[in-house]
Amino acid sequence: MKKKGLAWLLIVCMAAGISGCGKREPVQSEVQNEVENAAGDREIIVKEEKNMLRNSVNHFAYQLYGQLESGENLFFSPYSLCSALALLNLGAGTETKAELETLLGISDMEAWSSAMKAYLETEWANETFVLTANSIWLQQGEVWAENIETDFLKPAAEFFKSELYEADFVGNPEGAIAKLNGWADENTNGMIPKVIEKLPPATVLILMNAVYFEGKWEIPFMEESTHEETFYGNDGEKRVDMMHQYGAYYAYVESRGMKGIAIPYKDSPLVMKIFVPIMPENGEDIETLFAALSDAEKEELLDSLDDAQQEEIDRLVIPKFTMEQEIKELKEILQNMGMREAFADTADFDKIAEELYVSQVLHKAKIEVDEQGTEAAAVTAVIAAKCSMVQEKIPVVFEADRPFIYVIQDTRTGMILFMGRVSHLE
């Protein structure tokens, strides 16, 4: 209708132009202004959505980092975890949804999902790229919510590019596990061939996210410059392969007792940012320095490298390493971070099915760093079960390592033959 109205207006003005009707330029100018204003508004919205996604994932990263054991090696993908939990959030309601969105820092799920969709459609270069895959696995023959298609499956496919599968978790758990692990293996280029060892009882739904990253250094390290040097770790000194560069230019900062460098990957906006203490000889360690920062200060530290000047680095040394990790007790960690209702039998995932709750969240990640670049992958699995079925048996631990009372009883009569208390031992 708008196109027809505009065309008619132009025809009238052209016909009346001889007698002094308004010129066409103002009409074209107004239309052009409207188009330009609309494009500008859309650009602002897209930028805000991108910032929302970044702020959400980074906030989650800092919070999870603070929950994990100190002094140990650590590697995980907050992007993968946020993707899987946000996919779960599409099917959540009431307090369950509120807790998930607070955990993920989501104030507008539709805008957040739009930003995720846009990121999944990013065009990457041949030598540096990020591949993301999401999937939903449903128990065969299970009764699902009447509107699961429109309320959950459709937005999952639209915004998260999620694939849909059926499996028999109950009747053929081994076969289901083989399919799940096969999907993880395929979507991480073989880096993570197995993420699920066994399925909790009553499993009816599994949401999976896989992320695979491959990046070639913009300036590769020369293999002939790699040789053993001492790495001064928390567990003592070790001789390891260290890669070297001399005289290259990189973004470099010194701030809050730390110095940082950004090493870019070829043909992409992706970089590896590394921070070390400025004065380790004075007892400063990176873990303490980083932990002392607020989330906003951590963000400022990372951002400072984006605007930093390129400095000539006389000698750049980083280790060549491979690391594979699984976050243990992730359920308890997420509960400590505020995601409680989703794990309870009062969880609200009625958009998917009634009496559904999250029984387990799994996460594995692996990274390989060498002279040519970096290869990394992560898989997150959210496993949901039916409350009405038999729930997973909680392991029982009994340790009589403190004062205790005991009896010797005849179970035929119920009579106590001896009774005692152990308060201390010699």
Side-chain angles (χ1 to χ4, degrees):
M1 291 299 291
K2 289 183 179 178
K3 290 183 179 178
K4 290 181 179 178
L6 178 60
W8 175 250
L9 177 62
L10 290 172
I11 292 170
V12 170
C13 290
M14 288 172 67
I18 299 174
S19 59
C21 179
K23 297 179 180 180
R24 284 184 292 168
E25 287 87 341
V27 176
Q28 289 178 333
S29 178
E30 289 174 12
V31 173
Q32 184 177 359
N33 287 339
E34 288 182 8
V35 172
E36 290 177 352
N37 290 339
D41 291 343
R42 179 55 191 158
E43 186 176 338
I44 292 173
I45 292 172
V46 170
K47 185 176 181 180
E48 290 176 348
E49 288 177 349
K50 287 181 178 178
N51 287 339
M52 180 187 300
L53 183 62
R54 163 230 168 102
N55 293 341
S56 169
V57 173
N58 289 8
H59 172 74
F60 182 88
Y62 303 140
Q63 295 301 303
L64 180 57
Y65 177 90
Q67 291 284 328
L68 298 174
E69 187 176 357
S70 61
E72 298 295 331
N73 287 335
L74 183 62
F75 183 66
F76 65 97
S77 171
Y79 168 64
S80 174
L81 281 157
C82 285
S83 297
L85 293 175
L87 181 59
L88 175 69
N89 186 58
L90 290 177
T94 59
E95 185 62 25
T96 307
K97 183 179 181 68
E99 285 188 356
L100 278 168
E101 293 188 352
T102 298
L103 172 70
L104 297 172
I106 296 176
S107 57
D108 184 338
M109 185 60 193
E110 184 175 351
W112 198 99
S113 298
S114 295
M116 176 58 74
K117 178 182 179 181
Y119 192 76
L120 294 177
E121 293 171 350
T122 301
E123 293 185 6
W124 299 99
N126 291 331
E127 294 191 283
T128 300
F129 52 87
V130 179
L131 302 180
T132 308
N134 293 294
S135 59
I136 299 171
W137 300 73
L138 303 177
Q139 168 62 38
Q140 294 176 1
E142 182 62 38
V143 177
W144 305 104
E146 183 179 353
N147 297 319
I148 186 175
E149 177 68 32
T150 55
D151 291 347
F152 180 63
L153 298 180
K154 186 176 179 180
E158 178 182 355
F159 295 111
F160 291 80
K161 311 296 182 187
S162 186
E163 304 164 340
L164 181 62
Y165 300 95
E166 278 195 340
D168 190 358
F169 306 127
V170 178
N172 184 16
E174 293 82 5
I177 290 172
K179 291 180 180 179
L180 292 160
N181 287 331
W183 184 90
D185 183 47
E186 179 181 352
N187 286 284
T188 60
N189 197 31
M191 289 195 78
I192 303 179
K194 181 182 292 186
V195 67
I196 297 176
E197 299 282 350
K198 59 180 291 188
L199 292 173
T203 296
V204 295
L205 169 71
I206 296 180
L207 310 179
M208 294 189 74
N209 169 274
V211 182
Y212 175 74
F213 164 68
E214 185 175 319
K216 302 298 183 185
W217 300 123
E218 190 172 275
I219 305 175
F221 291 77
M222 303 301 291
E223 291 187 16
E224 54 267 30
S225 295
T226 297
H227 53 264
E228 281 194 355
E229 284 189 358
T230 302
F231 183 80
Y232 301 92
N234 290 335
D235 59 349
E237 300 178 4
K238 296 286 177 62
R239 299 289 290 179
V240 301
D241 283 339
M242 301 290 271
M243 304 184 297
H244 297 71
Q245 278 186 9
Y246 305 93
Y249 284 81
Y250 292 107
Y252 174 84
V253 296
E254 292 186 5
S255 176
R256 303 177 187 275
M258 292 169 275
K259 52 185 175 181
I261 193 171
I263 308 176
Y265 293 99
K266 189 175 181 180
D267 298 328
S268 82
L270 303 177
V271 300
M272 176 181 283
K273 297 180 179 180
I274 303 175
F275 295 90
V276 296
I278 293 175
M279 302 183 68
E281 65 276 6
N282 290 349
E284 293 180 347
D285 69 273
I286 192 64
E287 195 167 327
T288 301
L289 292 168
F290 193 72
L293 304 181
S294 66
D295 284 2
E297 290 170 335
K298 291 182 176 77
E299 198 77 348
E300 288 175 7
L301 179 66
L302 267 65
D303 287 348
S304 67
L305 276 169
D306 297 334
D307 303 318
Q309 291 186 347
Q310 297 277 315
E311 300 278 353
E312 183 179 7
I313 310 300
D314 292 333
R315 184 170 180 263
L316 171 62
V317 182
I318 62 174
K320 178 179 178 178
F321 68 93
T322 296
M323 185 182 300
E324 184 172 7
Q325 295 212 310
E326 177 180 3
I327 299 180
K328 303 292 186 182
E329 300 177 349
L330 185 52
K331 175 180 176 179
E332 290 75 10
I333 291 172
L334 292 173
Q335 286 174 323
N336 290 337
M337 294 171 65
M339 180 181 161
R340 301 182 183 89
E341 193 67 23
F343 294 106
D345 57 11
T346 54
D348 182 357
F349 293 110
D350 289 353
K351 292 180 182 179
I352 304 174
E354 294 182 355
E355 300 181 325
L356 198 67
Y357 76 104
V358 176
S359 60
Q360 205 170 30
V361 179
L362 306 174
H363 184 76
K364 279 189 175 182
K366 183 177 181 179
I367 184 171
E368 296 178 357
V369 177
D370 62 18
E371 292 87 354
Q372 299 305 310
T374 305
E375 188 178 16
V379 175
T380 302
V382 179
I383 303 175
K386 274 297 191 76
C387 303
S388 57
M389 298 182 182
V390 178
Q391 296 191 17
E392 183 178 7
K393 185 178 183 297
I394 300 174
V396 176
V397 176
F398 184 90
E399 297 175 333
D401 57 358
R402 62 204 64 207
F404 62 92
I405 294 173
Y406 66 100
V407 298
I408 298 175
Q409 184 180 26
D410 186 336
T411 58
R412 293 172 299 174
T413 63
M415 181 170 57
I416 296 174
L417 300 179
F418 301 93
M419 181 175 182
R421 181 178 68 203
V422 174
S423 297
H424 60 85
L425 295 169
E426 296 181 1

